[in-house]
Amino acid sequence: GGTGGSLSPRWRLITEDRAKSREALWLRLTTLTPPEVVVPPHRMSVLLHQAWRLQESCCVYHNPNARMSEGGYSLLQDHICPHGQLPTHCVSVLADVHTDEIWCLAPSPSGGYIASAGKDKTVCIFETSAPEFRVVKTLKGHGDACTYVCWSSDERYIATAANDKVVRVWLTSPDAPDRPYRTYTKHTDSVTAIAWLPDTHTRTHT
């Protein structure tokens, strides 16, 4: 035993282990108990995250970089990006890349790249950090006009749709081969839209 009411290192370790065991048991019980009886773990942080995402979706002038530059959102007021952050002048003209009409443009989630798809059956990826918006990748493989292009949330993949009834998924890294990573041929007519689910591994297309 210790002196002066203090615990010896051995008893302190036993007490800490028991506390951790009780906490682990409680967490286990909460996963087996309906949420109507016990509030699930980390429920408050989940609700706050959902509130932030809702405010972002309702912000007419939302700027993805605002949250980082401001050190996060305040819970004391609604999130509204000032309209002065909207672009007011042209910084580059992306000409002489496609040979026919451009049907779709899609910025990457980080804003570092732009993908374009068009009637010439081609998808081009531009790097936006360079002043001249240079082409870093050209993807060819569709047999008809490309109708839609969509980035995965982690920017590792691009999914493209076309009038050839095919959906193709491509790797976006500069050193990746310029051929489809995956090809989906289940449609019986032109594919006009694609969307990635947040897990980055699931796609929906119509």
Side-chain angles (χ1 to χ4, degrees), residues 2-23:
T3 58
S6 62
L7 294 175
S8 67
R10 176 174 176 272
W11 282 108
R12 187 179 298 111
L13 182 61
I14 293 174
T15 302
E16 291 175 354
D17 288 342
R18 287 177 177 175
K20 291 178 180 179
S21 298
R22 286 194 294 268
E23 182 181 2

Side-chain angles (χ1 to χ4, degrees), residues 14-185:
I14 293 174
T15 302
E16 291 175 354
D17 288 342
R18 287 177 177 175
K20 291 178 180 179
S21 298
R22 286 194 294 268
E23 182 181 2
L25 176 61
W26 174 249
L27 291 175
R28 176 63 177 164
L29 288 174
T30 58
T31 62
L32 302 174
T33 308
E36 295 82 5
V37 179
V38 178
V39 177
H42 314 298
R43 183 58 182 165
M44 180 59 71
S45 62
V46 171
L47 292 174
L48 288 175
H49 179 72
Q50 292 175 349
W52 287 335
R53 295 301 300 268
L54 176 63
Q55 297 234 358
E56 287 180 349
S57 66
C58 294
C59 180
V60 179
Y61 308 111
H62 182 61
N63 178 3
N65 297 322
R67 182 176 177 183
M68 299 301 297
S69 61
E70 296 170 3
Y73 297 151
S74 170
L75 300 178
L76 304 179
Q77 60 184 359
D78 291 342
H79 166 71
I80 300 177
C81 291
H83 67 274
Q85 296 177 340
L86 291 175
T88 57
H89 63 280
C90 178
V91 297
S92 183
V93 177
L94 310 181
D96 302 325
V97 177
H98 288 275
T99 59
D100 211 325
E101 297 173 357
I102 298 174
W103 286 6
C104 182
L105 283 174
S108 65
S110 68
Y113 299 90
I114 293 177
S116 63
K119 195 176 178 181
D120 61 358
K121 314 173 190 178
T122 302
V123 175
C124 297
I125 300 178
F126 300 86
E127 185 180 33
T128 62
S129 58
E132 68 276 10
F133 280 63
R134 67 184 181 92
V135 178
V136 295
K137 209 170 188 61
T138 301
L139 308 176
K140 297 182 179 181
H142 281 288
D144 206 335
C146 294
T147 58
Y148 205 85
V149 58
C150 185
W151 294 81
S152 64
S153 59
D154 60 4
E155 301 188 11
R156 292 179 58 199
Y157 309 98
I158 276 184
T160 59
N163 284 344
D164 60 2
K165 312 173 189 178
V166 177
V167 172
R168 288 177 168 84
V169 176
W170 315 74
L171 295 172
T172 60
S173 62
D175 56 346
D178 294 336
R179 60 176 181 270
Y181 177 69
R182 291 285 187 272
T183 301
Y184 302 92
T185 59

